[in-house]
Amino acid sequence: MSAGPRWFDPLTEYGLPSQVSADKPTLLVLPGLDGSGITPWMQYPELARSYNVRAMQLPGDDRSSFDELVGCVAAEVARADARARRAR
């Protein structure tokens, strides 16, 4: 059984220094057809200059419904908003 979707910082995931800052908005990257979140890996360092990048990964055996995925994204938006409010 799948653990379900997960969110991660792609910079630290792929061995680069994190550039997370309270001064930057959060950019959520949803996976493409492969579900890995690795497809745009070459774009992550440039995106991280302006955004706190969070990427979603879907395990190969994940069978979440569309509504469940929407809920997962909505929860991550709420967490990002809460982090931004605490940082102010």
Side-chain angles (χ1 to χ4, degrees):
M1 177 179 267
S2 170
R6 78 174 183 106
W7 292 96
F8 64 96
D9 176 344
L11 287 135
T12 57
E13 184 83 5
Y14 303 126
L16 300 170
S18 180
Q19 298 180 26
V20 174
S21 167
D23 298 331
K24 296 188 285 189
T26 299
L27 173 68
L28 300 180
V29 179
L30 303 180
L33 294 175
D34 69 342
S36 70
I38 196 170
T39 303
W41 73 273
M42 290 181 63
Q43 297 168 336
Y44 289 140
E46 183 68 27
L47 289 170
R49 291 181 183 187
S50 300
Y51 301 97
N52 293 322
V53 181
R54 303 281 296 154
M56 177 192 265
Q57 181 179 49
L58 298 173
D61 61 346
D62 182 69
R63 297 297 178 256
S64 297
S65 70
F66 180 78
D67 289 338
E68 290 169 332
L69 293 173
V70 169
C72 183
V73 172
E76 189 63 19
V77 168
R79 279 190 292 274
D81 185 51
R83 284 190 297 267
R85 288 175 194 254
R86 282 193 305 270
R88 291 183 195 161

